[in-house]
Amino acid sequence: MELLIVGLGSMGKRRARLLKGIDKNIALSGVDTAPSRREEAAALGVEGFGSIDAALAAKRFDGALVCTAPLTHAAIIRQLLEAGLPVFTELNLVSDGYAENMALAKEKGLPLFLSSTMLYRGETQYIKGRVDEFAKPVNYIYHIGQYLPDWHPWENYKNFFVGDARTGGVREIFGIDLPWLLDTFGPVKSLHAEKDKLSELEISYPDSVFVTLRHENGTKGMLAVDVVSPKAVRNFECFGEGLHLFWEGNPKSLYDFDHASGEKKAVNTYASVEHDARYSDNIVENAYVDELQNFLGVLAGREEARYSFEKDLETIRLIEAIEEA
């Protein structure tokens, strides 16, 4: 199998490294305008090209992964679909080109695979399973925060996409976490939002947002999202009469309260955990691997994608409603 990775920044190189770990026989090529990034990717066994056109002229590919900044995705996805390639794309965060690219993929009979890595976390799947099994009203409280300059310590936050209000850090957190919350608790029927600027960060959007979500099934969720927390934090709590779940974002911090013993019972959803030391402990590699395996399964025609552009349209509409509230 021959795959093309467009964009050889941190995510593009991560995808390359993990794909080689899944199957060392997968041949990888990559596109990036920066020679230094092509050189770094070459160490991972990725043949570099300076443009998509050059890559397509040189080789035939079985699929492509789009790992560039979100606002560039729509045009790149269209070019790859027009070339007859199934496409995996990182979070788009905006709906630019959605209608056209979904129609083009359907016309050509090509898979259009959208990343939503939190859906592949063992912890979120356990929470969803317990909530479904419980089948009674619940509420949840969820705080996700991380200091924006720490996201990419190797570059200034103003120099990559989180500096742009359309794809800012708060919006990206919503884009990452709302899909699994919607998958677990269902569609949202109403919301209330409060926004603030707590920091001196040079960004043109609020750095702290509190949202109350009322889901159609009656669940209430209180969601706090920020890019000012000095320590990366992901604190989740879900409770109802007979159910109490706790999660602090990493694989060792999921607990299910046992009322009979009066104790929190640790839940282990992973046999082993892969972690990149450059990132906070709530980012584990396992979910990225499972997501890529799902994409490979889709390419082979034996699996369905867990997420889609259609579902993401609903997520983006909800993000926009929060921003406008």
Side-chain angles (χ1 to χ4, degrees), residues 1-304:
M1 177 177 287
E2 186 104 25
L3 297 176
L4 176 66
I5 299 174
V6 182
L8 296 172
S10 60
M11 280 306 300
K13 289 193 286 288
R14 169 186 267 161
R15 297 294 184 185
R17 174 172 52 79
L18 296 177
L19 281 165
K20 282 294 188 181
I22 292 169
D23 184 351
K24 64 182 180 180
N25 295 316
I26 294 176
L28 297 176
S29 295
V31 172
D32 205 292
T33 55
S36 60
R37 286 184 171 180
R38 296 199 299 272
E39 289 173 12
E40 291 169 358
L44 299 171
V46 179
E47 182 177 354
F49 294 91
S51 70
I52 294 174
D53 287 337
L56 294 177
K59 294 188 171 187
R60 292 179 60 111
F61 297 100
D62 299 297
L65 294 87
V66 179
C67 304
T68 57
L71 293 181
T72 67
H73 286 184
I76 293 171
I77 291 168
R78 183 170 188 84
Q79 182 178 1
L80 295 169
L81 289 172
E82 287 176 341
L85 297 184
V87 174
F88 172 111
T89 175
E90 306 292 352
L91 279 178
N92 299 311
L93 299 179
V94 293
S95 59
D96 297 359
Y98 267 43
E100 297 83 358
N101 285 333
M102 286 191 293
L104 182 58
K106 184 176 180 180
E107 173 190 328
K108 289 183 168 286
L110 295 170
L112 194 52
F113 189 106
L114 182 53
S115 169
S116 188
T117 312
M118 290 295 287
L119 286 170
Y120 297 82
R121 290 288 293 258
E123 305 98 314
T124 64
Q125 290 305 294
Y126 178 85
I127 293 166
K128 174 179 170 57
R130 287 288 282 121
V131 169
D132 288 347
E133 176 188 50
F134 185 61
K136 290 194 289 186
V138 296
N139 290 336
Y140 64 88
I141 301 171
Y142 195 16
H143 174 207
I144 316 110
Q146 183 180 2
Y147 191 45
L148 193 64
D150 293 341
W151 285 30
H152 284 187
W154 54 87
E155 62 183 328
N156 191 298
Y157 65 88
K158 293 181 285 186
N159 295 337
F160 73 109
F161 66 84
V162 296
D164 188 310
R166 289 195 73 204
T167 56
V170 170
R171 189 178 178 100
E172 186 182 23
I173 292 173
F174 280 126
I176 290 169
D177 277 275
L178 282 175
W180 83 264
L181 292 173
L182 294 173
D183 186 53
T184 300
F185 301 107
V188 169
K189 71 174 183 179
S190 64
L191 65 89
H192 175 77
E194 296 282 347
K195 303 158 213 166
D196 291 290
K197 185 84 185 304
L198 302 180
S199 71
E200 296 181 359
L201 291 170
E202 296 178 49
I203 53 178
S204 58
Y205 54 86
D207 57 27
S208 175
V209 179
F210 278 29
V211 189
T212 302
L213 301 175
R214 170 70 79 168
H215 294 262
E216 290 180 0
N217 64 5
T219 297
K220 295 191 303 296
M222 193 165 71
L223 192 56
V225 172
D226 72 76
V227 293
V228 298
S229 294
K231 181 186 184 303
V233 62
R234 188 184 291 280
N235 285 331
F236 176 84
E237 188 173 343
C238 177
F239 54 93
E241 187 182 19
L243 177 71
H244 207 160
L245 304 172
F246 304 82
W247 182 42
E248 294 181 6
N250 66 73
K252 296 180 180 179
S253 65
L254 179 62
Y255 293 90
D256 197 330
F257 182 75
D258 179 64
H259 192 264
S261 66
E263 296 180 352
K264 294 195 300 184
K265 302 289 188 180
V267 178
N268 184 10
T269 61
Y270 296 98
S272 61
V273 174
E274 297 179 40
H275 172 66
D276 186 331
R278 294 178 303 164
Y279 299 93
S280 68
D281 64 358
N282 61 32
I283 299 176
V284 296
E285 304 285 84
N286 304 59
Y288 292 100
V289 172
D290 292 344
E291 185 173 51
L292 288 170
Q293 288 178 326
N294 185 203
F295 176 58
L296 296 175
V298 169
L299 291 183
R302 63 175 183 267
E303 294 183 26
E304 295 290 329

